[in-house]
Amino acid sequence: MRNLLRWLQNDDFAYVVQRLIEGLITLLLASLLSFAIIQLAPGSYLDTLQQNPKISPETIQQLKVQFGLDQPWYVQYWRWLTQVVTRFNFGESFVYNRSVASLLIERIPATLLLAITSIILTWAIAIPLGIVGAVQQNTLIDRSLRVISYIGQGFPSFITALLLLFLAQSVSPLLPVGDMTSIDFAEFSWPHKVWDVAWHMILPTLALSITSFAGLQRLMRGQLLDVLRQDYIQTARAKGLPENRVIYVHALRNAINPLITILGFEFASLLSGAFIAEFFFNWPGLGRLILQAVTAQDLYLVMGSLMMGATLLILGNLLADLLLKFTDPRIQLADLK
């Protein structure tokens, strides 16, 4: 009980609570702004239905009342916000005729799996190569790595996805062309199912990782070079410490802090950019769902998707701050405000 009270009085806990409160206020303002902007778009989902001669005007009017589209936009927003806060109900999708929450819960795991795998792959490759480039500055290895990073950053994500798709078609059936699972997935054993999903993840994960990897590698190289020029690094070398200890213990610990800071933004950008890989590789994730919702002007599905993305951005930034505190205890969370 004493440990719990001590933790409740901790400044770090107060910082987390403050960030969560600020995040809720941000979500409220973002939802209001998003709802207003969506209303500015010409037409609505029901305009498409009106073009169908099989659907009577009475049915259209009934749907307007059912979805609350017969009310002013601020009344629609207030009704939507009330049911979100009181019942965690984001409304019903016009297209799928299902609750938005069930659609998001169904699609989020596939997108999170893709995004988290991409982050792990990106960091596992970019950080070591960035360290090699800094340690081997201006050598042939460093120049080669810089050329690779320039090429990676120069390719837009959709071009990368197209090239990988052409590659998959050229070497088929060595690599899957699309989807998350094989046709006979239900008949597989559990180890075979895990392998099948991992096999289908190869190309969309690469499509997400290449651009992020190139930028992270350059950032790691630049940060480490800056730290290696600091006086305390020269002092550590003058004391006779092994070079590996100087680089991987003293320099790397300080050089990686800025990269941890951008981790939350990177996670959110991967989620928002996942729709490109999901579209090209037919991956059943949140990105494709959002794209279809925007195209069909599915109001409540668009709002639910936007709020989910904003929530993940806020939580990602908070997680990055906590991870920064974990890797460097000297940092005070209160100083990060």
Side-chain angles (χ1 to χ4, degrees):
M1 188 65 178
R2 291 180 179 177
N3 292 334
L4 177 61
L5 291 175
R6 189 179 301 113
W7 186 65
L8 289 174
Q9 296 172 358
N10 193 289
D11 291 340
D12 294 343
F13 177 74
Y15 172 82
V16 172
V17 172
Q18 180 180 350
R19 285 290 301 271
L20 290 177
I21 294 174
E22 292 173 353
L24 291 175
I25 297 175
T26 301
L27 287 177
L28 177 63
L29 296 177
S31 66
L32 177 59
L33 181 61
S34 299
F35 204 97
I37 292 176
I38 292 173
Q39 294 293 330
L40 293 176
S44 68
Y45 170 73
L46 296 181
D47 291 342
T48 304
L49 296 182
Q50 288 175 345
Q51 299 175 7
N52 189 343
K54 296 181 180 180
I55 301 179
S56 64
E58 292 77 12
T59 303
I60 298 295
Q61 183 61 33
Q62 181 181 355
L63 291 175
K64 279 186 178 181
V65 175
Q66 176 183 343
F67 294 121
L69 300 181
D70 58 330
Q71 302 291 331
W73 73 267
Y74 50 86
V75 176
Q76 296 178 40
Y77 172 74
W78 178 252
R79 290 176 56 182
W80 175 83
L81 181 64
T82 301
Q83 64 185 15
V84 169
V85 174
T86 58
R87 293 177 291 165
F88 200 68
N89 180 9
F90 288 89
E92 186 174 343
S93 169
F94 303 161
V95 176
Y96 293 92
N97 199 24
R98 289 175 51 190
S99 69
V100 171
S102 66
L103 285 169
L104 295 177
I105 292 173
E106 183 181 281
R107 298 294 188 97
I108 283 175
T111 297
L112 285 179
L113 177 63
L114 204 60
I116 292 173
T117 304
S118 176
I119 288 178
I120 294 174
L121 179 65
T122 299
W123 281 62
I125 297 176
I127 299 301
L129 291 184
I131 295 172
V132 170
V135 174
Q136 304 289 334
Q137 184 183 12
N138 295 328
T139 63
L140 179 61
I141 295 177
D142 180 35
R143 293 192 180 98
S144 301
L145 291 176
R146 276 189 285 172
V147 170
I148 293 174
S149 67
Y150 292 147
I151 294 175
Q153 285 190 300
F155 270 86
S157 298
F158 70 92
I159 296 294
T160 305
L162 274 177
L163 293 176
L164 291 174
L165 191 58
F166 291 149
L167 173 64
Q169 292 174 336
S170 302
V171 301
S172 180
L174 182 61
L175 291 173
V177 176
D179 291 326
M180 185 176 177
T181 58
S182 300
I183 298 177
D184 50 350
F185 179 78
E187 302 174 3
F188 295 163
S189 62
W190 277 108
H192 195 178
K193 286 183 177 180
V194 173
W195 166 251
D196 188 63
V197 173
W199 182 52
H200 283 79
M201 285 178 59
I202 294 175
L203 294 181
T205 301
L206 286 176
L208 276 178
S209 302
I210 288 178
T211 303
S212 300
F213 144 78
L216 190 64
Q217 175 193 333
R218 293 187 60 195
L219 185 59
M220 180 72 253
R221 177 184 179 274
Q223 290 294 330
L224 187 57
L225 284 176
D226 288 341
V227 173
L228 289 175
R229 297 189 184 102
Q230 300 298 317
D231 292 339
Y232 71 91
I233 296 296
Q234 306 303 324
T235 302
R237 285 171 171 165
K239 290 181 178 180
L241 292 179
E243 186 65 14
N244 286 341
R245 182 175 177 82
V246 171
I247 294 174
Y248 294 105
V249 176
H250 296 280
L252 183 59
R253 184 176 181 179
N254 293 293
I256 205 170
N257 284 346
L259 277 69
I260 295 176
T261 302
I262 68 171
L263 180 61
F265 293 101
E266 184 182 5
F267 181 63
S269 64
L270 280 175
L271 289 175
S272 62
F275 78 91
I276 296 177
E278 292 177 3
F279 176 78
F280 280 101
F281 297 102
N282 199 30
W283 187 266
L286 191 60
R288 285 182 59 203
L289 185 68
I290 297 174
L291 184 62
Q292 294 168 359
V294 172
T295 304
Q297 292 184 301
D298 196 341
L299 173 62
Y300 299 124
L301 184 53
V302 173
M303 284 298 301
S305 303
L306 289 174
M307 291 302 97
M308 184 60 61
T311 301
L312 291 175
L313 175 61
I314 292 170
L315 294 179
N317 289 330
L318 178 58
L319 180 62
D321 288 346
L322 296 177
L323 186 59
L324 190 63
K325 170 69 174 180
F326 176 77
T327 56
D328 192 348
R330 298 171 301 174
I331 296 177
Q332 298 297 321
L333 290 177
D335 297 335
L336 300 177
K337 295 178 182 179

